[in-house]
Amino acid sequence: MTARPPSSVILGAIGDDFTGAVELAGMLTAGGARTLLVTSVADIPSQLVAIDAVVMALRSRVAPASEALHEIGRAAAAFQALDVRQIFFKYCATFDSTDDGNIGNCAELLMAHTDARSVLFCPSFPEAGRTVYQGHHFVGDQLLENSPKRLDPLTPMTRSDLMAVLAPQTAKTVGLLPWATVQAGEAAVRAYAAARAAAGVPFLIVDALNENDLRAIAAATWDWPLMTGGSSVAAYFPAQWRANGLVADNPAPRPERIRGAAAVLAGSCADRTREQIDAFAQNHPMLTLDLKADEDATIAAALSWAHRIGPSVPICIASSSGPEAVAEVQARFGVIAAGRRAERLLGKIAIGLVDLGVRRFLVAGGETSGAVIQALGISQLRVAPYAGLGVGRCMADHPSRLSFCLKSGKLGDIDMFARVLTEMGDEA
């Protein structure tokens, strides 16, 4: 294979929320890929040297379909200007979406941008207990429709058949790439996808039960113009790049640590996040925001509370609520407006906390993470190698040197908040 020019990028990845984008960047980094994470299309450099992958963190998952398509299209155009070899569209391992999108519609747009003939959809994440068999999605030993995801306030997942989930989102015909074909290996996957595309079925939900399945899927698709899935399948791309002479065997960097006060900002309403908040609150100051109150007064009160606590102990400020409280706020403001109200509050509070000296943030929730990063005006992040479920470590240099753990709402062990904030701190 011809050696790759030093200024070219192999992979341009689009994450549909911030925690997912950080997770993906962390997995690529752990695999030895030199990875840059950016937070807007405008922040993708026109030329890059010594970068193997660029991950673009969007907030398209729960955006109105027209807004999501606009942002996905801009990201695709920017990656095409970089002449990337492949675009990868990363979404949640539980395929979080609605009949309006934003997976099938965005994949259809990306297919048009890349002239791809086949598109696989591979959300399986065996490490987290997310698997697909016969096109049906499982969370552990539960069908998706029976799992807590059925109660998600923004993307309630009430169907386990992912072909049925995807079909309303796209004009393309949706089929299945079965487990038996995955088991047969790379050549079988390529041949099956090509045959189904020729028969008018370009979109395929792919079965995957374990890491060997993901490895085979990655081997079959690493050189396609377009691939979609969870971060766990893309984690196997760097090994393919090395095997094909595209990258050197680079060591993964060590996570950076930083001094300064620490805070948890929690916007996710997932059961696991609320359990983590309760565990943290047993030994740390905790404040729950009233989303129905005046925004300016709520922000001022939260920052006054944080100032009184002082920098010596980590704090938690949360808008997270149970299903009944969420439903009440959504009924008053609307589903999307209620979520964005919470995100706006936590973003503005984050700005005030930086002014108070907070330098370590653990942010719970994908949409909340995006809101906080954008509110702080952060355009690029250095992502630490992936270390485990729910722990996406990264660093920013502007507006101050800040350390983040951006956590998916439904992942991470119950006691992780205090432990991770300590791990982010300077050893000195």
Side-chain angles (χ1 to χ4, degrees):
M1 181 173 290
T2 304
R4 182 168 63 100
S7 61
S8 66
V9 176
I10 303 171
L11 185 73
I14 302 168
D16 72 353
D17 82 339
F18 271 63
T19 55
V22 170
E23 179 183 84
L24 172 58
M27 288 191 173
L28 294 171
T29 300
R34 298 164 298 182
T35 305
L36 173 68
L37 188 146
V38 297
T39 61
S40 74
V41 172
D43 297 314
I44 300 177
S46 58
Q47 291 186 340
L48 287 168
V49 177
I51 292 294
D52 304 313
V54 177
V55 178
M56 171 76 215
L58 296 182
R59 298 174 63 195
S60 62
R61 181 175 300 170
V62 297
S66 59
E67 181 181 320
L69 289 169
H70 176 71
E71 290 302 309
I72 293 286
R74 291 182 66 212
F79 285 143
Q80 287 177 311
L82 284 177
D83 197 26
V84 301
R85 287 175 175 255
Q86 181 181 61
I87 289 179
F88 184 84
F89 178 40
K90 192 273 178 204
Y91 38 77
C92 184
T94 43
F95 217 64
D96 292 13
S97 53
T98 69
D99 285 353
D100 294 328
N102 290 313
I103 296 178
N105 54 343
C106 292
E108 189 174 320
L109 178 65
L110 292 171
M111 188 178 187
H113 268 274
T114 59
D115 294 325
R117 296 192 62 198
S118 298
V119 182
L120 298 192
F121 296 81
C122 183
S124 292
F125 195 163
E127 182 183 355
R130 276 60 167 163
T131 56
V132 179
Y133 182 66
Q134 291 296 297
H136 285 69
H137 200 51
F138 289 82
V139 177
D141 60 358
Q142 292 181 313
L143 283 166
L144 179 62
E145 64 197 58
N146 297 328
S147 77
K149 283 301 300 179
R150 72 187 188 280
L151 302 175
D152 190 292
L154 295 177
T155 54
M157 301 304 292
T158 58
R159 290 170 291 189
S160 303
D161 182 345
L162 296 189
M163 291 176 286
V165 173
L166 189 62
Q169 302 179 26
T170 175
K172 303 292 185 183
T173 304
V174 181
L176 172 69
L177 197 157
W179 190 61
T181 302
V182 175
Q183 289 286 288
E186 168 190 349
V189 171
R190 290 177 183 265
Y192 187 93
R196 296 304 289 148
V201 187
F203 279 11
L204 297 175
I205 300 292
V206 58
D207 284 348
L209 301 178
N210 53 52
E211 298 297 332
N212 285 335
D213 294 341
L214 296 179
R215 190 177 290 108
I217 294 164
T221 62
W222 71 272
D223 57 350
W224 289 16
L226 174 64
M227 177 60 182
T228 86
S231 55
S232 50
V233 67
Y236 290 100
F237 285 161
Q240 292 295 323
W241 300 341
R242 280 193 298 276
N244 287 276
L246 296 182
V247 298
D249 191 5
N250 300 312
R254 295 183 60 184
E256 300 178 56
R257 305 182 70 156
I258 187 173
R259 293 180 181 178
V264 174
L265 296 175
S268 169
C269 297
D271 290 344
R272 177 45 57 99
T273 292
R274 289 187 286 118
E275 292 169 348
Q276 291 163 333
I277 291 170
D278 290 343
F280 185 81
Q282 291 179 15
N283 298 297
H284 300 86
M286 160 72 193
L287 176 68
T288 300
L289 303 178
D290 181 359
L291 296 182
K292 301 186 296 296
D294 176 78
E295 288 192 30
D296 291 339
T298 299
I299 294 165
L303 293 175
S304 176
W305 173 83
H307 180 70
R308 290 196 303 273
I309 297 296
S312 62
V313 59
I315 63 173
C316 177
I317 299 176
S319 64
S320 307
S321 303
E324 291 184 1
V326 170
E328 183 180 350
V329 176
Q330 288 180 340
R332 178 169 177 177
F333 297 106
V335 173
I336 292 178
R340 292 193 170 173
R341 184 180 182 87
E343 294 154 18
R344 188 164 57 248
L345 285 171
L346 290 172
K348 291 181 178 179
I349 288 169
I351 296 172
L353 291 177
V354 170
D355 291 339
L356 292 176
V358 174
R359 295 296 179 263
R360 290 173 285 147
F361 287 92
L362 189 153
V363 188
E367 295 301 312
T368 306
S369 295
V372 168
I373 295 297
Q374 289 183 338
L376 291 172
I378 294 169
S379 61
Q380 295 187 7
L381 290 162
R382 295 188 303 280
V383 179
Y386 175 77
L389 292 173
V391 183
R393 294 269 301 275
C394 49
M395 293 287 300
D397 292 323
H398 178 80
S400 303
R401 188 166 180 264
L402 302 173
S403 180
F404 295 91
C405 174
L406 305 181
K407 187 200 85 71
S408 171
K410 53 191 171 290
L411 294 178
D413 62 84
I414 291 176
D415 297 319
M416 71 168 287
F417 284 7
R419 184 189 73 254
V420 171
L421 287 174
T422 298
E423 292 171 352
M424 293 163 66
D426 197 308
E427 294 176 295

